[in-house]
Amino acid sequence: MKILKYIFLLLLLCGVAGFVFIATQPGEYTITKSKEISASKDVVFNFVNDFNTWHLWNSTIDSTASKELFSEDLKTYTISNQNQSVIYETLNSYNSDSISQKLTEDKLTHNVVWKFTTTAKGTLLSYEMKGKMNLKQKIFSVLQGGAQNYLGNDVQQNLNKIEAYLTNQLNKYNIKIYGLVSKEGTLFIKQIDSISTKNFSAVAKNRIPKLTKFASENGINYTDVPFVLLDNWNATNQKSKFSICLPVKEEIITSEGSDVLGGELFEYKAVKITLTGDHSHLKKAWDEGFKYIERNKLTLDTSGSYIESYKVFTSNENEPSKWITDIYIPIKADLTPKKKPITNVSVEPVIETQPTE
């Protein structure tokens, strides 16, 4: 019995000594991980910088139990799992070179920096996180050979998921130009916003659920897919007004002070472009449309309606490579060449561009 008692006391002393050793270890840590990705720096930057994509790769998220919340300015992202929350806040983003963020979990704050460097293969994505560990994290860190292993394993797993996703999904896209078509008119409800022309697609897709929710709560049946309407094209990427729209059968009159308004789009001539793939390729699709207009000596209607129509989107398709977006660029009909326009949008495309595999 005495031997067992001594063994027990020895184990207890070892446990206490181990606890004291771990508790007195420095809590500060720095983790650095990186992954080279076969995608352009702009594509990787835009993907990481968009909190709406984080559910695709972030190991913190449990698809069956997590709840995601986004701030109005899309700078703060909260992941709630039962009684615990992880909060990410974007502090600054520098062109397409880096993103600085703050991560808050268990009342501890961690500083995160993403860096994007162009390489011969594509982009080197680097992740650095600094902060302090609580006692629980210190214990697991010691058992797993340090913070670089304990916390770094999840980070590396996330980087691997980003690389796999960008390779398998974002690089699968197709752009078709259908030429000159007649864009039919419609009644619609809208919410007006403003953003630079360069970024309006990314912002717009985050506003769509709010408008569809408003329609559902007020018994408004929309007749077609949501679209974004730009009243003019600002080539300098300065702030432009745009509207998130839902087509409706009948004119809708909202109460005074409501941020949802009614509107009407009249039929007009436009060059139609269709992107099948992730929205990161929308700029390419717009550019192809403008090139087509220039080659065919068509005249832009700078005061006309520029449209992105989300035919297949996140609401009914989880794979971005299968998203379908129609773009309409307005043309001055009286100045177009004397040739028969393509009015049937189901015909074979005039031009089709394919990405490099």
Side-chain angles (χ1 to χ4, degrees):
M1 279 297 284
K2 287 185 177 182
I3 295 177
L4 291 176
K5 184 177 180 180
Y6 289 143
I7 293 175
F8 174 77
L9 289 173
L10 181 62
L11 291 175
L12 181 61
L13 288 172
C14 290
V16 171
F19 178 82
V20 172
F21 172 76
I22 292 173
T24 56
Q25 290 297 301
E28 293 81 7
Y29 73 90
T30 299
I31 295 170
T32 56
K33 296 290 182 179
S34 61
K35 184 73 176 182
E36 193 169 17
I37 300 173
S38 299
S40 70
K41 187 169 74 169
D42 285 343
V43 168
V44 180
F45 176 88
N46 290 333
F47 182 72
V48 173
N49 198 38
D50 183 359
F51 282 137
N52 285 280
T53 69
W54 281 41
H55 70 280
L56 297 167
W57 55 265
N58 194 317
S59 59
T60 306
I61 300 172
D62 180 348
S63 60
T64 60
S66 296
K67 182 179 180 181
E68 299 173 271
L69 299 173
F70 303 88
S71 63
E72 284 289 333
D73 60 3
L74 307 177
K75 296 294 185 182
T76 303
Y77 172 48
T78 303
I79 304 169
S80 297
N81 292 309
Q82 296 178 352
N83 296 325
Q84 293 184 331
S85 294
V86 180
I87 303 172
Y88 296 89
E89 181 182 356
T90 297
L91 304 176
N92 287 293
S93 58
Y94 305 93
N95 297 321
S96 296
D97 297 323
S98 65
I99 303 168
S100 63
Q101 296 176 331
K102 180 174 70 175
L103 188 164
T104 304
E105 181 180 15
D106 293 333
K107 298 182 180 181
L108 291 176
T109 298
H110 313 265
N111 296 316
V112 174
V113 176
W114 299 84
K115 292 184 179 179
F116 308 82
T117 307
T118 300
T119 65
K121 180 181 177 181
T123 303
L124 180 66
L125 174 59
S126 302
Y127 179 98
E128 180 183 87
M129 184 165 70
K130 295 180 179 180
K132 291 185 178 181
M133 293 183 290
N134 56 29
L135 180 59
K136 177 183 176 182
Q137 290 173 326
K138 284 183 181 181
I139 294 173
F140 281 102
S141 177
V142 170
L143 293 176
Q144 296 186 31
Q148 193 74 7
N149 292 330
Y150 167 53
L151 298 175
N153 287 340
D154 284 343
V155 172
Q156 191 63 57
Q157 183 182 10
N158 288 339
L159 295 179
N160 292 341
K161 286 182 178 180
I162 291 173
E163 191 272 339
Y165 181 86
L166 290 174
T167 300
N168 296 328
Q169 282 292 324
L170 267 66
N171 287 336
K172 295 179 182 178
Y173 73 94
N174 182 39
I175 297 171
K176 294 181 180 180
I177 300 180
Y178 287 88
L180 198 61
V181 303
S182 290
K183 179 68 178 80
E184 64 181 7
T186 183
L187 293 167
F188 58 85
I189 57 172
K190 65 180 179 179
Q191 283 183 312
I192 300 174
D193 208 329
S194 64
I195 195 66
S196 67
T197 304
K198 178 181 178 182
N199 298 323
F200 86 91
S201 297
V203 174
K205 68 180 182 181
N206 293 300
R207 303 285 193 267
I208 290 173
K210 294 182 181 179
L211 188 56
T212 56
K213 181 181 179 182
F214 173 88
S216 299
E217 290 176 347
N218 290 274
I220 300 173
N221 296 318
Y222 48 97
T223 59
D224 205 344
V225 295
F227 64 92
V228 172
L229 172 64
L230 275 165
D231 292 330
N232 59 76
W233 184 262
N234 190 330
T236 62
N237 286 330
Q238 297 301 312
K239 277 198 171 183
S240 296
K241 285 187 178 180
F242 69 93
S243 301
I244 313 297
C245 307
L246 284 177
V248 294
K249 282 186 177 181
E250 300 176 348
E251 183 179 5
I252 303 295
I253 300 176
T254 56
S255 59
E256 185 177 353
S258 173
D259 63 344
V260 177
L261 305 171
E264 184 172 3
L265 182 69
F266 297 97
E267 184 176 358
Y268 64 97
K269 296 294 183 182
V271 167
K272 178 185 177 183
I273 308 101
T274 296
L275 167 68
T276 302
D278 185 82
H279 292 163
S280 62
H281 303 293
L282 278 168
K283 185 180 183 302
K284 299 187 190 78
W286 280 96
D287 289 345
E288 288 295 332
F290 287 119
K291 289 177 184 177
Y292 175 86
I293 290 168
E294 184 177 355
R295 283 195 304 269
N296 288 272
K297 296 180 169 44
L298 302 174
T299 303
L300 277 173
D301 184 357
T302 56
S303 62
S305 299
Y306 296 76
I307 286 177
E308 272 186 8
S309 180
Y310 305 111
K311 191 174 180 180
V312 178
F313 188 38
T314 51
S315 60
N316 49 15
E317 177 55 62
N318 291 324
E319 295 183 38
S321 61
K322 296 179 182 178
W323 294 348
I324 299 175
T325 308
D326 291 334
I327 293 171
Y328 295 92
I329 302 176
I331 299 298
K332 288 187 177 179
D334 57 336
L335 297 177
T336 54
K338 300 293 184 180
K339 63 179 183 180
K340 185 178 179 181
I342 302 174
T343 56
N344 185 350
V345 297
S346 64
V347 298
E348 289 299 315
V350 178
I351 295 177
E352 181 172 344
T353 65
Q354 296 282 356
T356 303
E357 294 292 340

